[in-house]
Amino acid sequence: MKTEKRKIAIVGAGIGGLTAAASLLRLGFTVEVYEQAEQFAPIGAGIQLTANAMQALGGLGLIEPLRSKGFVPAAFHSREWDTAKVTNVLVMGKSLEERYGTPDLMIHRARLHAVLAALTPCKCIHFSKKLIGIEHNGSGVTALAFADGSRAEAALVIGADGIHSMVREALFGADEPRFTGRVAYRATYPTERIRGLAIDERAKWWGPDRHVVHYFTTPNKDEIYFIAVTPEPNFRVESWSMVGDKNMLRAAFAGFHPIVRTILSAAPEIRKWALVERDPMPSWWENSIVLLGDACHPMAPYMAQGAATAIEDAVILARCLEHVGCDDISKALAVYTASRKPRTDRMQLTNRENTWLRERTDTEWVYEYDAWRARLALPESSPT
Ligand code: FAD
């Protein structure tokens, strides 16, 4: 194994960027993270960390820190939107933990983000660094330019800058993700607001063209989260913090079962965002610049794999760099892409059907994957 390790720049301190930083630091690399925000703010709502995400995070020692801040449901229920008839049950809790060695955990994105951020020393995270330009100079160094006029250099740049990735645009040209014609209303609020209503610990209610997912996000179930997805083809604004109109939400789900309507109307405030996606991209890298997470495979939240796949990418990329070494970055990035793309391509295409778990589903190919142990797509002669 080659051991030369040079400076790696990560653009974006979101879920993927912070997982990449923690994984690379763990394997002995030097990283600098550049984030456009002035500071971390508790934005966002619920995220489902399925067993594959938790196995990757487990390799960073995060199972217990996350368990202490998230919720482990005993089961997931799929229900018909109006009758509440159960169409599928996925047993989770202890039996799932015995199978995969990790729980399947629901958590607020801000708490996941804080747990991840604690793994990277503050001096390695640079705030107010909005990337506006990136250039590979042909001699193995990539120059980064930021909106505040500052610059930086690195031997490898990882674009973990999310759905509107500037790094992606610099590599492959401007090309906005496609609006699915659907929006998501979501809220997190104290469970006491549903006044003791008996609800599933994690459920999805399936309507003909819309659905609602809800689950608890804290160990003692005192916080509940929902996401309600419905067609709104004329809506375009895309923001994680835009306030949604409660009357529009109520109207869109007026025919749903009373349990769903109670959960939706109990929210003190709702947020709204447009769901966008891309087709699988032919390539994720060029020279010594590479993408991960939403920057290269954004998905609508139907299979709950957006954060999970960004986390998996980060671990596999770190392993490829460790295995191949930073003195052959092209090879490391080729191995990374070959190791990851078949899985994320399949995920993007399966995700857009929005049928995952509606009926009995083969979940094994998604949940069993352990990014720390998964086989790297190395050429025949190189052992993993
Ligand atoms: P992200 O987690 O989106 O991270 C991208 C990071 O890059 C962000 O910190 C962003 O500020 C930074 N960035 C972008 N452009 C630049 C630039 N030019 N220069 C420097 N930095 C840049 N998913 C859910 O399922 N539920 C949620 O509630 C939810 N809330 C979210 C809230 C926020 C504020 C964000 C940014 C994302 C949220 N997501 C949520 C999306 C989810 O986190 C991602 O889909 C998933 O984790 C993939 O992670 P990622 O690292 O690829 O991208």
Side-chain angles (χ1 to χ4, degrees):
M1 184 194 306
K2 296 166 184 165
T3 53
E4 187 191 346
K5 291 178 179 170
R6 289 176 285 165
K7 188 175 129 188
I8 298 174
I10 300 173
V11 182
I15 304 300
L18 289 176
T19 308
S23 306
L24 287 162
L25 287 168
R26 198 173 183 88
L27 297 179
F29 291 91
T30 305
V31 297
E32 303 291 339
V33 185
Y34 301 97
E35 165 59 43
Q36 65 179 2
E38 287 171 20
Q39 58 182 25
F40 290 142
I43 318 173
I47 280 197
Q48 305 178 45
L49 295 173
T50 48
N52 49 317
M54 287 300 287
Q55 289 179 80
L57 295 167
L60 298 171
L62 292 183
I63 291 182
E64 295 316 316
L66 289 170
R67 198 198 297 270
S68 71
K69 293 185 166 53
F71 177 67
V72 179
F76 164 84
H77 286 86
S78 267
R79 292 185 183 271
E80 283 179 2
W81 61 293
D82 50 352
T83 62
K85 183 181 157 204
V86 174
T87 57
N88 187 24
V89 181
L90 182 70
V91 178
M92 300 168 67
K94 278 209 177 73
S95 79
L96 194 139
E97 186 159 356
E98 274 161 24
R99 188 182 184 100
Y100 300 115
T102 59
D104 190 309
L105 190 126
M106 318 287 111
I107 193 166
H108 194 291
R109 182 185 182 274
R111 291 182 204 116
L112 165 65
H113 194 260
V115 166
L116 277 169
L119 297 181
T120 299
C122 297
K123 65 176 171 41
C124 301
I125 305 180
H126 310 279
F127 290 101
S128 302
K129 295 290 174 193
K130 181 179 169 65
L131 184 81
I132 54 165
I134 183 164
E135 206 175 299
H136 182 73
N137 72 5
S139 65
V141 176
T142 299
L144 303 164
F146 301 103
D148 64 359
S150 62
R151 298 179 72 83
E153 287 188 341
L156 169 66
V157 176
I158 300 174
D161 50 343
I163 197 134
H164 297 295
S165 171
M166 159 76 210
V167 180
R168 182 201 168 284
E169 189 176 323
L171 286 182
F172 304 114
D175 178 18
E176 279 302 303
R178 188 174 49 245
F179 176 46
T180 59
R182 296 169 136 206
V183 299
Y185 291 89
R186 63 205 173 103
T188 322
Y189 62 85
T191 308
E192 63 190 20
R193 294 183 65 95
I194 60 170
R195 299 171 189 276
L197 179 75
I199 61 171
D200 295 322
E201 292 186 335
R202 178 187 172 207
K204 183 163 179 176
W205 298 72
W206 300 80
D209 63 350
R210 58 201 70 197
H211 67 258
V212 174
V213 171
H214 60 81
Y215 49 83
F216 299 108
T217 52
T218 48
N220 58 3
K221 303 205 236 181
D222 61 2
E223 184 179 84
I224 184 172
Y225 165 72
F226 73 74
I227 174 168
V229 174
T230 182
E232 253 183 60
N234 297 324
F235 183 77
R236 271 300 188 285
V237 184
E238 212 194 307
S239 148
W240 287 104
S241 50
M242 183 191 166
V243 174
D245 179 337
K246 286 192 208 171
N247 291 327
M248 283 180 79
L249 173 65
R250 279 198 200 109
F253 292 90
F256 270 60
H257 192 274
I259 289 181
V260 180
R261 284 188 276 129
T262 303
I263 293 171
L264 300 188
S265 19
E269 186 179 63
I270 49 170
R271 307 276 160 178
K272 179 177 184 180
W273 100 99
L275 300 185
V276 298
E277 62 181 10
R278 280 188 196 283
D279 292 329
M281 288 169 48
S283 173
W284 293 354
W285 69 280
E286 241 178 55
N287 297 314
S288 51
I289 305 172
V290 66
L291 304 174
L292 64 72
D294 281 3
C296 50
H297 49 68
M299 305 170 206
Y302 303 151
M303 285 171 71
Q305 291 300 312
T309 46
I311 290 166
E312 291 175 357
D313 287 349
V315 171
I316 295 284
L317 178 55
R319 285 182 57 210
C320 290
L321 288 164
E322 201 222 4
H323 192 86
V324 177
C326 275
D327 47 357
D328 194 352
I329 282 178
S330 299
K331 182 175 170 194
L333 301 187
V335 174
Y336 158 68
T337 313
S339 304
R340 290 296 299 152
K341 254 182 68 58
R343 177 169 171 83
T344 58
D345 287 1
R346 182 176 177 192
M347 208 89 91
Q348 282 177 281
L349 298 176
T350 310
N351 182 69
R352 71 174 52 153
E353 292 166 11
N354 190 22
T355 52
W356 184 253
L357 293 179
R358 182 177 190 147
E359 312 280 341
R360 203 182 155 91
T361 304
D362 170 19
T363 56
E364 201 63 7
W365 68 275
V366 174
Y367 299 159
E368 75 169 356
Y369 185 90
D370 177 348
W372 291 99
R373 292 194 182 82
R375 206 174 162 73
L376 302 180
L378 290 162
E380 293 288 296
S381 52
S382 337
T384 40

